[in-house]
Amino acid sequence: MLRVDITKQLGEFTVAASFTSEGRVTGLFGASGSGKTSLINTIAGLLRPDRGTIVIDGETVDDTTAGIHVPTYRRRIGYVFQDARLFPHLDVRQNLDYGRRMNRLADDPAQRKRVVDLLDIGALLDRRPGKLSGGERQRVALGRALLSKPRLLLLDEPLGALDESRKLEILPYLVRLRDEAGVPMVYVSHDAAELRQLATQIVMLRHGQVTAFGGVKVLTATS
Ligand SMILES: Nc1ncnc2c1ncn2[C@@H]1O[C@H](COP(=O)(O)OP(=O)(O)OP(=O)(O)O)[C@@H](O)[C@H]1O
């Protein structure tokens, strides 16, 4: 469960968002500049709300009245960006291991195998990111995030840098993550078609405000 009720001022721009999602994939949908990245960064703890609360999986990670602001690295979240942000000097195996080591988690070969199989990246383990396609890099970034055993996975336009055919290559893996990985996701996109395939709940943003919340049918009015 994710509960968000915050306001955040960024220069002239105000984010004022309130919603509770039980969905497996909560889609943050809106045009460029509607506040999607600012909102997901606030959930990640990278931005501190001016007012309000954020509760992830029953834990209050922000509460401005009580003075609570849990730092990002203690929120137990995974974050996947538009560009995969893999470490170029590490091979795929070492990149995958990074999240686990940073979070001081015990080695879990069974979990690693499950994630590698889920994302079909077993053949890439000895390669460095420079020798991977954009789609392969994103699959590794997803794997790295999952192996840190997050209780919430944040994805900010993870397909945004890919061309249409690469997007179609990755979407089935994201659907598999939704159905098999058991980790709830917040998924930022300005692409209604992408969210229709993936999201179970939609938060629609406009000028920093939530204008609609509900199932994917709230996207119906959008192209
Ligand atoms: N630190 C900041 N200071 C001032 N204004 C900011 C700051 N960060 C973001 N903004 C403004 O807030 C608005 C929302 O930006 P944000 O990146 O959250 O939108 P977005 O929906 O993610 O857009 P895109 O789809 O283009 O990434 C924009 O007008 C942006 O210029």
Side-chain angles (χ1 to χ4, degrees), residues 35-204:
K36 306 181 296 295
T37 296
S38 304
L39 180 54
I40 204 171
N41 280 342
T42 310
I43 297 169
L46 297 168
L47 292 174
R48 189 171 184 157
D50 300 325
R51 183 210 61 78
T53 53
I54 298 178
V55 180
I56 299 173
D57 196 23
E59 188 196 349
T60 300
V61 290
D62 273 297
D63 183 340
T64 49
T65 307
I68 295 170
H69 177 69
V70 175
T72 301
Y73 68 94
R74 291 186 51 209
R75 290 194 176 204
R76 293 186 38 223
I77 49 162
Y79 204 147
V80 177
F81 302 88
Q82 187 174 85
D83 50 333
R85 303 194 190 179
L86 300 175
F87 298 106
H89 60 291
L90 301 181
D91 64 22
V92 167
R93 192 190 313 275
Q94 292 163 325
N95 266 286
L96 288 174
D97 211 31
Y98 183 84
R100 178 188 71 76
R101 285 193 291 113
M102 284 308 285
N103 288 285
R104 298 192 181 142
L105 300 170
D107 191 20
D108 185 345
Q111 153 90 340
R112 186 165 53 233
K113 182 175 183 325
R114 207 157 1 121
V115 168
V116 165
D117 289 349
L118 185 74
L119 293 162
D120 208 4
I121 50 180
L124 312 176
L125 293 176
D126 296 321
R127 283 200 232 162
R128 288 197 178 182
K131 297 237 165 93
L132 301 176
S133 72
E136 287 168 342
R137 276 200 284 274
Q138 275 313 54
R139 274 150 57 199
V140 174
L142 286 165
R144 182 176 63 176
L146 280 177
L147 285 168
S148 68
K149 299 200 174 164
R151 58 186 170 182
L152 181 67
L153 195 55
L154 305 177
L155 304 108
D156 191 356
E157 303 254 12
L159 307 184
L162 304 176
D163 63 29
E164 267 320 299
S165 62
R166 289 270 182 243
K167 277 188 193 178
L168 293 176
E169 173 196 315
I170 304 289
L171 262 170
Y173 290 105
L174 289 166
V175 169
R176 250 162 114 174
L177 275 189
R178 178 193 68 194
D179 297 341
E180 295 174 32
V183 181
M185 299 188 247
V186 175
Y187 191 98
V188 166
S189 181
H190 61 268
D191 185 336
E194 201 174 300
L195 286 176
R196 268 191 206 100
Q197 291 189 60
L198 207 55
T200 55
Q201 297 270 276
I202 299 291
V203 176
M204 200 178 283

